[in-house]
Amino acid sequence: FPYNGTTTTFESLWMNVPVLSIEGNNHSGRVGYSILKNLKLEELITTSQTQYIEQASYFLENKKYLEKLSEGLREKLINSDLCNGKLFTNNFETMLKNIINKNK
């Protein structure tokens, strides 16, 4: 706990639906944080259950702000490093080369 769904988070953002996430302490609890942080959507990241409820309540009371936040999420995702396969591959290759070179 908390488990931040990877696929469901991407699918929601793809459909221009904001996702509120609690930042956890392990991989399964930090996926949502990582995705939102990479998209510079810090207002959707919370650090506790209390903050999560407060932020959800804020969005519920400020639907115009939430609508504005929803606009262009797909484009933001598409244009991010998260959807840049070439950049990911280059970074991954560099990381592997560094690992190999350290073990020589």
Side-chain angles (χ1 to χ4, degrees):
F1 178 83
Y3 175 75
N4 302 173
T6 308
T7 303
T8 52
T9 299
F10 268 100
E11 288 176 345
S12 295
L13 296 169
W14 186 262
M15 298 306 294
N16 291 314
V17 176
V19 177
L20 193 56
S21 180
I22 299 175
E23 176 185 355
N25 296 319
N26 56 28
H27 171 74
S28 64
R30 294 183 64 83
V31 175
Y33 164 84
S34 178
I35 293 168
L36 296 170
K37 187 75 170 175
N38 274 283
L39 296 175
K40 296 176 179 48
L41 293 170
E42 285 86 358
E43 63 266 45
L44 296 173
I45 300 169
T46 63
T47 57
S48 68
Q49 290 179 6
T50 301
Q51 187 184 23
Y52 182 94
I53 292 167
E54 290 170 355
Q55 193 69 347
S57 297
Y58 174 81
F59 289 138
L60 183 62
E61 294 170 8
N62 296 282
K63 291 185 181 177
K64 292 288 184 193
Y65 178 75
L66 189 59
E67 288 173 14
K68 183 174 172 58
L69 186 60
S70 297
E71 293 174 5
L73 284 178
R74 181 181 293 182
E75 288 76 24
K76 190 180 229 17
L77 183 61
I78 289 170
N79 293 317
S80 75
D81 290 350
L82 296 172
C83 290
N84 186 334
K86 185 174 182 174
L87 178 65
F88 174 84
T89 302
N90 289 339
N91 289 340
F92 188 66
E93 286 175 346
T94 300
M95 181 188 66
L96 290 175
K97 287 176 185 174
N98 288 338
I99 290 170
I100 291 168
N101 289 334
K102 284 182 181 179
N103 292 323
K104 283 186 175 181

